[in-house]
Amino acid sequence: MIKSILVVDDSKMSRKLVIRALPEEWDAPVYQATNGLEALEIFHDKSPDIIFLDLTMPELDGFGVLAALQKEDNKVPVIVISADVQTEAYERAIGLGARAFIQKPMSPGDVRKVVQELHLL
Amino acid sequence: MDEKVSHLVNMAVSQINAGMVILDADHNIVLWNRFMQIHSGISEDDIKGKNLFDRFPDLKGSGIEKKIDSVFLLKNLAFTSWEYRPYLFKFANTHSVIGDEEWMQQDCTFSPMIDESGTVTHICLSVFDATNTATYQKKLLRASGSLMKQRNTLAEINKKLEEAQNQLLQSEKMAAVGQLAAGVAHEINNPVGYVNSNVSALEGYINELLQMLAAYEVCEPALDQNNALTEALEQAKKSIDLDYLKEDLIDLLKESKEGLDRVKKIVQDLKDFSHVDESEWQHADLHKGLDSTLNVVNNEIKYKAEVIKNYGEIPEIKCLSSQINQVFMNLLVNAAHAIEERGTITISTGTKDNGVWVEIEDTGSGISQEKLPRIFEPFYTTKPVGSGTGLGLSLSYNIIQKHKGIISVESEPNKGTRFYIWLPIDIEFDDNSNANVA
Amino acid sequence: MIQTKEQFDEDRRDALQEVVNIAMGQAGDSLAKLFGTFVELSIPKFHLCDVNELNQELSKNSTYAEKMTILRQPFSGQLRGEGIALFNNSGVNELAVLMGYEGEVTYSNEREMLLDVCSILVGACLNGVASQLGISLSYTAPTIITKDTTTEKFFKPESIQWRYAMIMEVCLTLEQYDFTSNMLLFLSEESFPPLMNKLDQMLDEL
Ligand SMILES: Nc1ncnc2c1ncn2[C@@H]1O[C@H](COP(=O)(O)OP(=O)(O)O)[C@@H](O)[C@H]1O
Ligand SMILES: [Mg+2]
């Protein structure tokens, strides 16, 4: 059961796109962060049940966030949504524990499809 | 699209005055329009379904595969330009009557053909005949190339002019130095004159004093032997070493007179050489000119060569003697430069055909047969930068020309060189000649 | 065009940056597939500047002080402008191998290859932007403008047609091959209104 959601992206437009694409079934509060440091702070404060994470960001990038979570041995599902679509980025993100990888530009159905596959609905 | 329009499109593809080829993802030819058929001589039926690289193996390994890949992957356009790749397909030149390209020069474009899902399914290759442009462009390039060359030549000439100007400045400086020298010579002349006459008088007096002394010496034995005076006399003689003094006095006087002669000579040479007061045509003795020039360049010659003078009997000739001296100087300095260790410079003179000749011969390095015709050219020099200007002989040549004389040269490598000058005794000017202008 | 800077407000800037980042991400992936090697593309930077400020703006990047080969490819459509690719003349031989030129790299090969890379870079960046904005662009064949010049010598204010432009700056690096190329996309002044419109459409859909 998803009780709160964290969306991390340095682009306001992208955050909005993600939020708009969230399944209607999830009637839960959405927290937003614009970089990795902010993301970790909110994460520890609010303990969201799912994270949508951009990779390329200032301060601390998405890989940094994944690494921090892995270190804490935290199993919160993280879905990466990134414009960096080279295989290197994909493999690295999955290697750091990301559960899924959505390529930008994403289409509205992408989020739903992924959370369904992950049995999070 | 309705049938009529699609028929027209097909017609257009066939008739368009450019090559059109459609390739599928495996590089197989799907379409080969009329332009391609005509220029390649290959019908569409023969080539349809064949692989582009199999039919045109020359295209392999030349970057074309990657171009096509990039169009499939990136949906961008790829190009070839005749400038860097004259043609993709080797077609005979369309401008076969006039024109110098053997093959049709081509500009080509690879464009992606994208379906509704956004995937590139085919590539459309268009081939444009760029022979005309190429021909003009190449002509232009050639023209600008030759312009460039001309510009470079001009720059070179400019540089030479600059050097010539420097040379002129140099000779102006020389003239100024000459003037200064003449002034100094004049100033020195006066004191040297009275020192000279004083020394002559001194010589007379000393001779008389010595005679007087001799007379006294004859009287000496008449003095009383044990007289204290005799003693004192002996003492004085000893202390001044009278015998030596008498001898040395003569020598000193002789040397002083020689020294004075030399000063007089140098002063005279400086005056002769600079000839500031004499920029007009005058009768002059070339031997005097040669001697004064030798004195001026003595420093350059003395360590290199022994100078042998074979002077004949010559009359004075009408000339600009300062300029003639300049010629002598150039020839003498060149001769000295040509001698590596030690050698001789022989100066001979004589008369011939109403004129006077001067030969300056050296035992130096000589000049090779190929170089000989060039030595009178301005700026021709074989000497290292800074030490030769290549102007000496050309200047000399001009001066002799102005005197309606002759200058010629004979040389044998490793043996030596002989310069020959002939000058008329009495130069005659044409009425409209401006030879007077130096 | 003073209002341009104001028009280009934070939301629009954010949207354009994201569109371009995404385009570059796709470009990087395609280039990596094309070259068969990892490709690093810098995060695109935007400059909105007057022609007189151009050199000052560019001088912030020290690589532009070096002598480079400069190429350009014009594009037109709803967005008009020029892509300028700058090569620092190293790694050319390795690149030739990547681009499928066999044998010795001749002068002509090298020139054509640089033209190829210019066209690939410009196309890769702009196609991604165009498809996200839902517009189509057409491209003219690239040309080599100069060899061995610094940008300062090249971008002389008096020799540039436009007064005001948007410049997007990206750097492509093939680390294994010691190859770097900088690309500057100049968007002409008249492209601003349609660009702003398209961005607004995207933002409105949110
Ligand atoms: N006596 C000579 N022996 C050998 N070479 C000579 C002699 N005189 C002239 N040359 C050659 O002719 C060239 C041109 O001479 P000149 O015009 O006086 O210019 P410069 O002495 O400045 O080189 C010299 O560089 C030298 O090669
Ligand atoms: Mg000389």
Side-chain angles (χ1 to χ4, degrees):
Chain A
M1 181 63 188
I2 302 292
K3 287 191 292 297
S4 66
I5 302 155
L6 174 58
V7 177
V8 192
D9 200 306
D10 55 331
S11 161
K12 184 174 162 193
M13 181 179 75
S14 281
R15 289 197 304 273
K16 282 193 178 173
L17 274 173
V18 174
I19 294 167
R20 210 181 54 150
L22 293 174
E24 288 154 26
E25 294 90 323
W26 292 351
D27 189 17
V30 178
Y31 305 108
Q32 300 185 35
T34 61
N35 64 53
L37 291 180
E38 234 179 84
L40 288 175
E41 225 170 84
I42 295 174
F43 175 75
H44 291 129
D45 193 19
K46 310 285 182 192
S47 312
D49 302 310
I50 187 165
I51 304 178
F52 293 91
L53 182 65
D54 183 24
L55 287 181
T56 315
M57 286 181 298
E59 311 290 342
L60 180 69
D61 64 11
F63 297 118
V65 174
L66 286 169
L69 293 175
Q70 199 175 46
K71 218 171 157 194
E72 291 171 24
D73 207 17
N74 201 306
K75 292 286 189 303
V76 62
V78 180
I79 295 167
V80 167
I81 305 181
S82 175
D84 187 350
V85 293
Q86 288 192 58
T87 4
E88 280 78 2
Y90 171 82
E91 281 167 3
R92 199 171 153 208
I94 298 298
L96 284 167
R99 301 281 291 276
F101 195 111
I102 298 176
Q103 296 189 349
K104 286 185 187 176
M106 60 169 214
S107 38
D110 286 350
V111 172
R112 185 171 192 90
K113 216 175 106 202
V114 166
V115 291
Q116 246 161 7
E117 275 168 17
L118 294 176
H119 307 292
L120 292 168
L121 257 186
Chain B
M1 216 184 305
D2 72 48
E3 218 164 282
K4 202 164 158 208
V5 174
S6 99
H7 176 69
L8 283 175
V9 170
N10 282 339
M11 286 278 281
V13 169
S14 153
Q15 293 298 327
I16 194 169
N17 192 18
M20 190 185 276
V21 180
I22 294 180
L23 301 173
D24 67 14
D26 299 322
H27 307 155
N28 291 330
I29 294 163
V30 177
L31 183 139
W32 185 255
N33 81 341
R34 215 174 70 107
F35 181 98
M36 297 304 287
Q37 293 167 30
I38 288 171
H39 288 288
S40 66
I42 305 172
S43 74
E44 192 171 23
D45 287 342
D46 274 350
I47 207 163
K48 235 181 184 166
K50 303 271 161 58
N51 184 287
L52 177 75
F53 294 102
D54 288 348
R55 287 307 301 255
F56 300 96
D58 285 352
L59 295 178
K60 271 189 228 164
S62 68
I64 298 295
E65 294 103 319
K66 276 283 158 180
K67 276 185 211 279
I68 294 177
D69 287 353
S70 81
V71 177
F72 274 113
L73 268 167
L74 301 165
K75 303 170 197 174
N76 68 332
L77 300 184
F79 303 88
T80 67
S81 154
W82 65 266
E83 260 188 282
Y84 307 113
R85 186 191 295 265
Y87 50 79
L88 211 55
F89 300 99
K90 198 168 182 172
F91 294 162
N93 179 11
T94 41
H95 303 60
S96 46
V97 184
I98 316 157
D100 34 27
E101 300 305 335
E102 200 180 344
W103 309 107
M104 180 200 285
Q105 306 288 296
Q106 298 161 0
D107 281 339
C108 304
T109 308
F110 298 80
S111 343
M113 301 177 79
I114 306 170
D115 69 9
E116 298 83 35
S117 76
T119 330
V120 182
T121 58
H122 293 83
I123 280 181
C124 174
L125 165 60
S126 33
V127 180
F128 301 97
D129 182 355
T131 312
N132 240 340
T133 323
T135 310
Y136 284 129
Q137 183 82 15
K138 282 181 187 168
K139 267 190 200 151
L140 225 85
L141 264 176
R142 272 199 293 274
S144 75
S146 74
L147 269 177
M148 199 66 153
K149 228 187 254 165
Q150 279 172 22
R151 208 197 64 157
N152 288 346
T153 335
L154 271 179
E156 222 166 90
I157 290 172
N158 238 335
K159 209 176 124 218
K160 286 188 172 172
L161 274 174
E162 220 165 87
E163 276 168 27
Q165 204 194 7
N166 283 340
Q167 184 68 21
L168 279 174
L169 270 177
Q170 186 65 22
S171 50
E172 231 167 86
K173 233 194 277 173
M174 285 289 282
V177 168
Q179 221 152 359
L180 193 73
V184 171
H186 185 76
E187 289 300 316
I188 291 175
N189 244 353
N190 277 332
V192 165
Y194 62 71
V195 170
N196 197 38
S197 66
N198 289 356
V199 167
S200 292
L202 218 74
E203 189 181 25
Y205 296 159
I206 284 173
N207 277 333
E208 284 166 4
L209 275 176
L210 285 178
Q211 277 167 27
M212 198 62 215
L213 188 66
Y216 278 126
E217 276 175 337
V218 173
C219 302
E220 231 174 287
L223 292 173
D224 185 356
Q225 287 298 310
N226 292 321
N227 195 316
L229 277 174
T230 321
E231 187 91 346
L233 211 58
E234 271 311 309
Q235 199 63 44
K237 259 191 197 174
K238 242 189 209 149
S239 80
I240 63 166
D241 199 351
L242 187 64
D243 290 336
Y244 173 78
L245 190 145
K246 279 194 283 191
E247 247 172 69
D248 202 35
L249 205 60
I250 307 292
D251 285 348
L252 285 180
L253 268 173
K254 203 173 138 230
E255 276 170 29
S256 299
K257 276 167 76 186
E258 279 170 7
L260 275 169
D261 280 345
R262 263 176 50 204
V263 172
K264 266 162 52 188
K265 183 113 195 359
I266 290 168
V267 168
Q268 191 53 43
D269 285 340
L270 275 173
K271 277 170 93 179
D272 285 354
F273 179 74
S274 57
H275 281 275
V276 273
D277 43 1
E278 191 193 301
S279 59
E280 282 175 25
W281 294 82
Q282 275 180 345
H283 284 277
D285 177 2
L286 292 190
H287 287 161
K288 261 173 93 181
L290 280 164
D291 289 343
S292 65
T293 306
L294 272 171
N295 261 316
V296 171
V297 298
N298 191 31
N299 258 327
E300 304 229 17
I301 295 179
K302 65 182 172 202
Y303 303 110
K304 285 286 191 73
E306 184 193 348
V307 177
I308 299 170
K309 294 180 196 173
N310 272 334
Y311 290 174
E313 286 264 316
I314 53 167
E316 292 194 340
I317 67 161
K318 199 172 162 189
C319 64
L320 295 165
S321 54
S322 62
Q323 298 202 352
I324 295 297
N325 286 350
Q326 183 110 47
V327 174
F328 293 154
M329 186 174 81
N330 285 331
L331 297 184
L332 288 168
V333 169
N334 280 347
H337 282 169
I339 292 167
E340 251 160 54
E341 297 274 293
R342 245 198 116 70
T344 48
I345 297 174
T346 312
I347 307 172
S348 317
T349 60
T351 53
K352 193 190 170 196
D353 302 337
N354 272 327
V356 172
W357 59 262
V358 178
E359 265 181 15
I360 297 180
E361 187 177 357
D362 65 62
T363 57
S365 58
I367 307 164
S368 72
Q369 217 49 44
E370 316 91 75
K371 288 178 185 160
L372 209 52
R374 300 201 55 196
I375 59 169
F376 291 105
E377 282 176 20
F379 305 111
Y380 176 79
T381 179
T382 56
K383 295 171 191 175
V385 183
S387 84
T389 59
L391 281 170
L393 286 180
S394 75
L395 213 73
S396 304
Y397 185 86
N398 287 340
I399 290 170
I400 300 300
Q401 284 278 299
K402 194 151 71 181
H403 284 77
K404 303 200 168 169
I406 296 167
I407 181 166
S408 64
V409 60
E410 279 173 47
S411 184
E412 204 177 315
N414 301 322
K415 284 254 169 77
T417 306
R418 180 165 61 223
F419 279 91
Y420 171 91
I421 293 169
W422 177 90
L423 292 164
I425 295 175
D426 259 304
I427 184 168
E428 275 172 42
F429 301 115
D430 315 332
D431 283 346
N432 54 358
S433 156
N434 56 355
N436 229 332
V437 182
Chain C
M1 256 299 148
I2 302 155
Q3 81 247 46
T4 318
K5 259 185 185 160
E6 288 152 23
Q7 256 183 43
F8 197 46
D9 60 26
E10 213 177 306
D11 278 354
R12 286 169 170 158
R13 183 182 276 274
D14 172 76
L16 183 60
Q17 181 79 54
E18 189 64 1
V19 164
V20 169
N21 286 351
I22 291 169
M24 294 317 293
Q26 294 171 320
D29 188 45
S30 310
L31 290 173
K33 283 188 185 126
L34 183 67
F35 293 137
T37 178
F38 180 66
V39 172
E40 197 183 317
L41 284 167
S42 68
I43 295 173
K45 273 192 245 155
F46 290 101
H47 314 274
L48 265 176
C49 72
D50 192 272
V51 65
N52 293 312
E53 304 161 355
L54 178 61
N55 276 311
Q56 202 194 336
E57 200 61 45
L58 292 181
S59 68
K60 289 174 190 164
N61 185 338
S62 63
T63 52
Y64 296 142
E66 286 169 34
K67 285 191 172 174
M68 290 184 286
T69 302
I70 304 179
L71 295 87
R72 77 142 154 243
Q73 184 173 30
F75 54 88
S76 43
Q78 277 157 290
L79 300 180
R80 298 169 63 84
E82 269 173 44
I84 307 270
L86 306 134
F87 298 98
N88 69 0
N89 304 330
S90 77
V92 167
N93 284 317
E94 290 85 349
L95 188 67
V97 177
L98 288 182
M99 292 294 289
Y101 289 85
E102 283 168 12
E104 201 196 329
V105 183
T106 64
Y107 171 82
S108 296
N109 282 168
E110 185 193 310
R111 303 284 106 178
E112 185 177 318
M113 188 176 74
L114 292 181
L115 288 167
D116 282 348
V117 176
C118 173
S119 170
I120 285 172
L121 286 180
V122 173
C125 300
L126 281 171
N127 283 336
V129 173
S131 76
Q132 287 180 77
L133 295 179
I135 58 178
S136 79
L137 297 175
S138 91
Y139 301 90
T140 308
T143 46
I144 294 175
I145 315 176
T146 66
K147 296 177 273 174
D148 300 324
T149 337
T150 58
T151 53
E152 195 170 351
K153 286 210 184 105
F154 173 61
F155 293 120
K156 293 210 188 87
E158 62 273 16
S159 61
I160 295 176
Q161 302 249 339
W162 45 267
R163 297 290 96 204
Y164 202 86
M166 177 187 283
I167 306 164
M168 184 179 122
E169 191 185 352
V170 192
C171 175
L172 162 93
T173 315
L174 302 181
E175 218 164 281
Q176 279 159 282
Y177 296 89
D178 186 27
F179 175 86
T180 326
S181 165
N182 287 285
M183 202 190 57
L184 299 168
L185 282 175
F186 288 79
L187 224 53
S188 69
E189 207 172 299
E190 74 256 27
S191 305
F192 289 173
L195 177 64
M196 295 303 146
N197 274 339
K198 288 287 169 189
L199 291 175
D200 287 347
Q201 276 175 31
M202 289 186 80
L203 290 165
D204 286 347
E205 280 168 23
L206 291 178

